[in-house]
């Protein structure tokens, strides 16, 4: 059982490393975040969490923040937006 657990941990580490490793040569890269309205930007070989402005979501196809209807957020967290309601 311990061997199986160890293999699962190694497999998970490989997936995470493959998913979001930033190049050490300073190349700028972008990766989707777990939340639709955020993304990772590589800066000097390190991942930095960035937030899309307004009500935009990160579109990994074009590597920029885009209108929600243009973004596939399957498997990612949808942002919770504060809505102001006028009470009369």
């Amino acid at each position: 059982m311990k061997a199986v657990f160890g293999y699962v941990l190694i497999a998970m580490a490989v997936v995470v490393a493959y998913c979001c490793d930033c190049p050490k040569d300073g190349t700028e890269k972008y990766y989707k975040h777990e939340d639709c309205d955020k993304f990772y930007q590589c800066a000097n070989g390190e991942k930095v969490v960035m937030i899309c402005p307004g009500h935009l979501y990160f579109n990994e196809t074009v590597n920029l923040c885009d209108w929600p209807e243009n973004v596939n957020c399957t498997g990612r967290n949808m942002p919770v937006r504060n809505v102001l309601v006028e009470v009369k």
Side-chain angles (χ1 to χ4, degrees):
M1 184 65 175
K2 288 182 183 178
V4 172
F5 183 69
Y7 287 125
V8 170
L9 285 179
I10 291 169
M12 286 173 43
V14 169
V15 170
V16 170
Y18 176 78
C19 165
C20 301
D21 271 353
C22 287
K24 300 296 181 195
D25 65 1
T27 304
E28 200 166 272
K29 296 276 291 182
Y30 302 94
Y31 296 103
K32 67 180 178 181
H33 187 274
E34 297 79 25
D35 298 336
C36 278
D37 62 343
K38 297 177 184 152
F39 62 96
Y40 294 107
Q41 178 179 4
C42 294
N44 299 320
E46 299 293 325
K47 286 189 305 187
V48 178
V49 176
M50 305 296 285
I51 301 171
C52 291
H55 294 277
L56 302 179
Y57 294 169
F58 180 70
N59 186 333
E60 65 182 313
T61 304
V62 292
N63 284 331
L64 55 84
C65 295
D66 201 350
W67 298 110
E69 58 268 17
N70 297 331
V71 179
N72 180 0
C73 284
T74 303
R76 295 164 63 194
N77 300 321
M78 299 300 291
V80 176
R81 303 288 185 196
N82 294 329
V83 179
L84 296 176
V85 177
E86 182 179 341
V87 178
K88 295 181 180 184

